[in-house]
Amino acid sequence: MTIVLGIESSCDETAAALVDDGRTIIAQRIASQDEAHRPYGGVVPEIAARAHAERLAPLIKAVLDDAGLSLADLDGIAATAGPGLIGGVMVGLVSAKALAMASDKPLIAVNHLEGHALSPRLADASLTFPYLLLLVSGGHCQILLVEGVGRYRRLATTIDDALGEAFDKTAKILGLGFPGGPAVERIAATGHAKAVALPRPLLGSAEPNFSFAGLKSAVLRAKQANVHQDADIAAAFQQAAIDCVIDRTRKVLGTIARPSALVVAGGVAANRSVRAALEALAAEHGLKFVAPPLALCTDNAAMIAWAGLERMALKGFTPDPFDFVARPRWPLDPDAAPVRGAGVKA
Ligand code: KG4
Ligand code: ZN
């Protein structure tokens, strides 16, 4: 049995987990920093980095204690090495280097996006390559063909905001607080999507890319008009976003050979309406649909440990060097053409 310690610190979640190659999450802990960032309505990088530095070591000790294991029992140490808020990423990566060096175990520097991309395989042993992945988080909105571990082909991306970012901004406009996605989902459930007319940017366009900036501005105008219920605005926003996601994903499905499954991952994959719409799209195409359990969708360390295990299982695996540099940006598909305005937040 191979056991890997995973460390995640790229945004506002400090997390550590122990996972084995039999797909058992032996232990995991997540310390959320929501309280620290709430007064600012978003993640403050400096506060995040300090919080990671404070919390990570005790958290790692706690998961080892929970599992009744010591460093000597581990087979590898995996940490997010990017992309993300660089101060936090450095805290996690340097901790992993120190632990790997002290225990003489292999270091695995994991791309956070690869953690999300492979997380569905931790939840579902029957999920095989190649699968079509919709990766929707606070910093990213992409459709990728996952051909194998380390082999990702980007087929679509956002030209402006990420989907999670659009949820967060909508929450801010409606005064729902932070983090926004779950709050928007909650009040949307009580609203009427048809009560407010909102645009569907790029719907039907030939390029399968996403755009959410115009939708966000329309939400702001709807709020400022002072005639709509917040719940109706939230429901209309969520429905418009879902219509775009489904249209773009359907477009990509029409251009590729049949994948093994349609898969969704990343924080926004925790949204039940998004999941249900994608499940229906998969059914329409006769495809298997896979969405990780909610706790594996938002940032966590189990997915980082799992990505480490997947890397270790590759033929010719070599550990990453101790001078591996944390990367604020790290595209999963380095060959993908740059897209106008495609920002990477975290
Ligand atoms: O993957 P994640 O935890 O962190 C990043 O790597 O960005 O994603 C966080 C994003 C946030 O924008 C959050 O608002 C969104 O995922 N999110 C949701 C829901 N839960 C989290 N968006 C919509 N509905 C949700 N239930
Ligand atoms: Zn993430």
Coordinates of all heavy atoms in Angstrom, one line a residue, residues 10-11 13 112 116 136-140 164-165 167-168 179-182 185 238 266-268 270-272 297-299 346, ligand 1:
S10 N -3.2 27.0 -1.6 CA -3.0 27.9 -2.8 C -4.0 29.1 -2.7 O -3.8 30.1 -3.4 CB -3.2 27.2 -4.1 OG -4.5 26.7 -4.2
C11 N -5.0 29.0 -1.9 CA -6.0 30.1 -1.8 C -6.3 30.3 -0.3 O -5.4 30.7 0.4 CB -7.2 29.8 -2.6 SG -8.2 31.2 -2.9
E13 N -7.9 28.0 1.8 CA -8.1 26.8 2.6 C -6.7 26.2 2.9 O -5.9 26.0 2.0 CB -8.9 25.7 1.7 CG -10.2 25.4 2.2 CD -11.2 26.5 1.8 OE1 -11.3 26.8 0.6 OE2 -12.0 26.9 2.7
H112 N -2.2 22.5 -8.8 CA -3.5 22.5 -8.1 C -4.6 22.1 -9.1 O -5.6 21.4 -8.7 CB -3.7 23.9 -7.6 CG -5.1 24.1 -6.9 ND1 -5.3 23.8 -5.6 CD2 -6.2 24.7 -7.4 CE1 -6.6 24.1 -5.3 NE2 -7.1 24.6 -6.4
H116 N -7.6 19.1 -9.0 CA -9.1 19.1 -9.4 C -9.4 18.2 -10.5 O -10.4 17.5 -10.5 CB -9.5 20.5 -9.8 CG -9.7 21.5 -8.7 ND1 -10.6 21.3 -7.7 CD2 -9.1 22.7 -8.4 CE1 -10.6 22.3 -6.8 NE2 -9.7 23.2 -7.3
V136 N -14.4 24.1 -13.1 CA -15.0 25.4 -12.8 C -14.7 25.8 -11.3 O -15.2 25.1 -10.4 CB -16.5 25.4 -13.1 CG1 -16.8 25.7 -14.5 CG2 -17.2 24.1 -12.7
S137 N -13.9 26.8 -11.2 CA -13.5 27.1 -9.8 C -13.5 28.7 -9.7 O -14.0 29.4 -10.6 CB -12.1 26.6 -9.4 OG -11.1 27.2 -10.2
G138 N -12.9 29.2 -8.6 CA -12.9 30.6 -8.4 C -11.9 31.3 -9.3 O -12.1 32.5 -9.6
G139 N -11.0 30.6 -9.8 CA -10.0 31.2 -10.7 C -10.0 30.7 -12.1 O -9.3 31.2 -13.0
H140 N -10.7 29.6 -12.4 CA -10.6 28.9 -13.7 C -12.0 28.5 -14.2 O -12.9 28.2 -13.4 CB -9.7 27.7 -13.6 CG -8.3 28.1 -13.2 ND1 -7.4 28.4 -14.1 CD2 -7.7 28.3 -12.0 CE1 -6.3 28.8 -13.5 NE2 -6.5 28.7 -12.2
G164 N -16.7 30.7 -11.0 CA -16.8 30.9 -9.5 C -16.7 32.4 -9.1 O -17.4 32.9 -8.2
E165 N -15.8 33.1 -9.9 CA -15.7 34.5 -9.7 C -17.0 35.3 -10.0 O -17.4 36.2 -9.3 CB -14.6 35.0 -10.7 CG -13.9 36.3 -10.5 CD -12.9 36.5 -11.6 OE1 -12.5 35.6 -12.3 OE2 -12.4 37.7 -11.6
F167 N -20.0 34.0 -9.7 CA -20.9 33.7 -8.5 C -20.5 34.6 -7.4 O -21.4 35.2 -6.7 CB -20.7 32.2 -8.1 CG -21.7 31.3 -8.8 CD1 -21.4 30.6 -9.9 CD2 -23.0 31.1 -8.2 CE1 -22.4 29.8 -10.5 CE2 -23.9 30.2 -8.8 CZ -23.6 29.6 -9.9
D168 N -19.2 34.7 -7.1 CA -18.7 35.5 -6.0 C -19.1 37.0 -6.1 O -19.5 37.7 -5.2 CB -17.2 35.4 -5.8 CG -16.8 34.0 -5.3 OD1 -17.7 33.3 -4.7 OD2 -15.7 33.6 -5.6
P179 N -17.9 33.3 1.5 CA -17.8 33.1 0.0 C -19.2 33.0 -0.6 O -20.2 32.7 0.0 CB -17.1 31.7 -0.1 CG -17.5 31.0 1.2 CD -17.7 32.1 2.2
G180 N -19.2 33.5 -1.9 CA -20.5 33.8 -2.5 C -21.2 32.7 -3.2 O -22.5 32.7 -3.2
G181 N -20.5 31.7 -3.8 CA -21.2 30.6 -4.5 C -22.3 29.9 -3.8 O -23.4 29.9 -4.2
P182 N -22.0 29.4 -2.6 CA -23.0 28.7 -1.9 C -24.2 29.6 -1.5 O -25.3 29.2 -1.5 CB -22.3 28.2 -0.6 CG -20.8 28.2 -1.0 CD -20.7 29.3 -2.0
E185 N -26.4 30.1 -4.5 CA -27.2 28.9 -4.8 C -28.4 28.8 -3.8 O -29.5 28.5 -4.2 CB -26.3 27.6 -4.6 CG -27.1 26.3 -4.8 CD -26.3 25.1 -4.7 OE1 -25.1 25.1 -4.3 OE2 -26.8 24.0 -5.2
Q238 N -28.0 32.4 -12.0 CA -27.5 31.0 -12.0 C -28.0 30.3 -13.2 O -27.3 29.6 -13.9 CB -28.1 30.3 -10.7 CG -27.6 28.9 -10.6 CD -28.0 28.4 -9.2 OE1 -27.3 28.6 -8.2 NE2 -29.0 27.6 -9.1
G266 N -13.9 21.1 -9.4 CA -13.7 22.5 -9.0 C -14.8 23.0 -8.1 O -15.9 22.4 -8.1
G267 N -14.6 24.1 -7.4 CA -15.6 24.6 -6.4 C -17.0 24.7 -6.9 O -17.9 24.4 -6.2
V268 N -17.2 25.2 -8.2 CA -18.5 25.4 -8.7 C -19.3 24.1 -8.9 O -20.5 24.0 -9.0 CB -18.6 26.3 -9.9 CG1 -20.0 26.6 -10.3 CG2 -17.8 27.6 -9.7
A270 N -19.7 22.0 -6.9 CA -20.5 21.8 -5.7 C -22.0 22.3 -5.8 O -22.8 21.9 -5.0 CB -19.9 22.5 -4.5
N271 N -22.2 23.1 -6.9 CA -23.5 23.6 -7.1 C -24.5 22.6 -7.7 O -24.3 22.0 -8.8 CB -23.4 24.8 -8.1 CG -24.7 25.5 -8.3 OD1 -25.6 25.0 -8.9 ND2 -24.8 26.7 -7.8
R272 N -25.6 22.3 -7.0 CA -26.5 21.2 -7.4 C -27.2 21.5 -8.7 O -27.4 20.5 -9.5 CB -27.5 21.0 -6.3 CG -26.9 20.3 -5.0 CD -27.8 20.2 -3.9 NE -27.2 19.7 -2.7 CZ -26.4 20.4 -1.9 NH1 -26.1 21.7 -2.1 NH2 -25.8 19.9 -0.8
C297 N -15.0 18.7 -4.2 CA -15.1 19.8 -5.3 C -14.3 21.0 -4.9 O -13.5 21.5 -5.6 CB -16.5 20.1 -5.5 SG -17.5 18.8 -6.4
T298 N -14.6 21.5 -3.7 CA -13.9 22.7 -3.2 C -12.5 22.3 -2.8 O -12.2 21.2 -2.6 CB -14.7 23.4 -2.1 OG1 -15.1 22.4 -1.2 CG2 -16.0 24.1 -2.6
D299 N -11.7 23.3 -2.6 CA -10.2 23.1 -2.4 C -10.1 22.1 -1.2 O -10.7 22.3 -0.1 CB -9.5 24.4 -2.2 CG -9.3 25.1 -3.5 OD1 -9.5 24.5 -4.5 OD2 -8.9 26.3 -3.4
A346 N -6.7 32.5 -9.1 CA -6.1 31.7 -8.0 C -6.3 30.2 -8.4 O -7.3 29.9 -9.0 CB -6.8 32.0 -6.7
Ligands
KG4_1 O1 -12.0 25.1 -6.3 P1 -12.2 26.2 -5.3 O2 -12.5 25.8 -3.9 O3 -11.1 27.2 -5.2 C1 -10.3 27.6 -6.4 O4 -9.4 26.9 -6.8 O5 -10.7 28.7 -6.9 O6 -13.4 27.1 -5.9 C2 -14.0 28.2 -5.2 C3 -15.1 28.8 -6.0 C4 -15.6 30.1 -5.4 O7 -15.7 31.0 -6.4 C5 -16.9 29.7 -4.8 O8 -17.9 30.7 -4.8 C6 -17.4 28.6 -5.8 O9 -16.2 27.9 -6.0 N1 -18.4 27.7 -5.2 C7 -19.7 27.7 -5.7 C8 -20.4 26.8 -4.8 N2 -19.5 26.4 -3.8 C9 -18.3 26.9 -4.1 N3 -20.3 28.3 -6.7 C10 -21.6 28.0 -6.9 N4 -22.3 27.2 -6.1 C11 -21.7 26.6 -5.1 N5 -22.5 25.8 -4.3

